[in-house]
Amino acid sequence: MLNRIIVVLAFIVAFTGFASASGVVGQSVLYRYDSSHIYPAILTHDNGDGSWYLVCLDPDGNGTNFAMGPNSQWAYASIAVIAFEDDSGTGDNRWYPNPAIGLGATGPQGPTGAQGSTGATGATGATGPAGQGAFVTSTVTPTLAMNGSAVQLDATHDTEYTASISIGMTLSLSGGQAGHVDFVCDSSSTPTTIVATVGDSNTGTVVVGVSLTRTPIMELHYRAHAGDFCKITSTNDTGTPTYSIIRQVLQVLG
C-alpha cells in the first residue's frame, strides 16, 4: 500500500481577475491544474488573503499520476496545494465548486447585522384617476345677491367662494337688533343645505338720547362642488338689522 503523504506545493498566483474565496472548510471542490488535469479536492484552510489550502485526491489509485510539473507526484494518493477560487472553472491552478454536488440544507439564520445602505428606488407606480385639483385656474366676480336666486358657480369645476358680509345693528331705547346670514349650497337648483353661517347681535339697554349702531364685517367661505347651486339668505333674530354683501370673489379650481 502506498504511503499517503501530504506534500505542500506552494504556487504563487496573481490576485488580479479572480473572485475572493467564498468556500467553507470541508467543502468538496474541483482543483484544475491545467486543462488536462482536474482533481477532486477538499478545502482545508482559508488563508485570509483569498487563497485556500486544498487536499487534492487521486481519484483512481494513481491512475492520474498527479502530473504536477517537473516534480510529478504520481506516487501519492493525495497532495496539498494553495490556490485561489475561479468559479468559471477555466483558470489553471484554481479551484471551483463541484457542479455535481447540489446545495446542502439551509443552515440557521445568522444574527441581524447593522442597517445597510438604502436600496435603489423602486419603479414608479401607476397613475391614479384624474380628479379635481387644488390649483386656482381663474378668478371671477360672482353674481350672488342677498336673498336672491340660487346661482350655479361652475358646471364642471370645484370652486372656492368667499364673501365679506356686513350686518348693521342699532341699539336704542326701543331695543337692540341681531341677525345672521346663511350660505346655502347643494346640487339642487333650489338649494336647502346650509354650509356656512355668520351672525352678530347688538342688544342691551341705553339711556335716553343715546343710541349705538354696530356694523361688523364677517367672512363667508366655502368650497363648492362642481355643478352646485348656491345662494345667500339673511334671517332677523331680533329687530330688523340691515344686510349687505361688501365684496365677493370666486376662484375656479382645476
Side-chain angles (χ1 to χ4, degrees):
M1 179 182 294
L2 295 174
N3 292 329
R4 296 179 178 272
I5 303 173
I6 299 176
V7 179
V8 178
L9 303 176
F11 295 94
I12 301 176
V13 294
F15 286 92
T16 305
F18 298 98
S20 299
S22 59
V24 294
V25 172
Q27 180 179 346
S28 175
V29 298
L30 295 178
Y31 170 72
R32 173 188 165 115
Y33 176 67
D34 57 29
S35 61
S36 301
H37 301 89
I38 298 174
Y39 306 98
I42 298 173
L43 300 182
T44 60
H45 180 70
D46 182 357
N47 295 319
D49 61 357
S51 68
W52 283 77
Y53 272 102
L54 294 81
V55 172
C56 297
L57 306 175
D58 181 354
D60 58 359
N62 302 319
T64 58
N65 294 327
F66 281 114
M68 308 293 283
N71 297 318
S72 175
Q73 310 300 322
W74 67 269
Y76 298 125
S78 64
I79 62 173
V81 299
I82 298 176
F84 287 81
E85 180 180 6
D86 176 13
D87 289 346
S88 70
T90 59
D92 292 344
N93 190 31
R94 299 289 187 267
W95 67 267
Y96 58 94
N98 189 339
I101 299 177
L103 295 176
T106 302
Q109 181 174 336
T112 302
Q115 176 68 40
S117 59
T118 302
T121 301
T124 301
T127 302
Q132 283 292 332
F135 296 104
V136 176
T137 59
S138 64
T139 301
V140 297
T141 301
T143 59
L144 276 70
M146 187 67 66
N147 299 311
S149 300
V151 174
Q152 187 179 55
L153 300 183
D154 194 286
T156 57
H157 298 84
D158 282 8
T159 55
E160 294 273 0
Y161 177 83
T162 303
S164 298
I165 305 295
S166 72
I167 304 177
M169 298 163 290
T170 300
L171 177 63
S172 64
L173 285 176
S174 60
Q177 295 177 332
H180 65 272
V181 173
D182 294 319
F183 191 60
V184 184
C185 196
D186 57 41
S187 60
S188 172
S189 60
T190 55
T192 58
T193 304
I194 298 173
V195 296
T197 300
V198 294
D200 205 343
S201 64
N202 189 18
T203 58
T205 59
V206 295
V207 297
V208 175
V210 176
S211 65
L212 177 63
T213 300
R214 294 181 62 246
T215 309
I217 298 177
M218 293 157 284
E219 183 177 280
L220 276 172
H221 183 78
Y222 181 68
R223 175 168 175 162
H225 296 289
D228 275 0
F229 290 82
C230 302
K231 65 180 180 179
I232 298 177
T233 62
S234 64
T235 302
N236 297 331
D237 298 317
T238 301
T240 55
T242 58
Y243 306 92
S244 301
I245 300 175
I246 303 300
R247 184 178 295 103
Q248 59 181 323
V249 65
L250 187 70
Q251 294 177 306
V252 180
L253 306 180

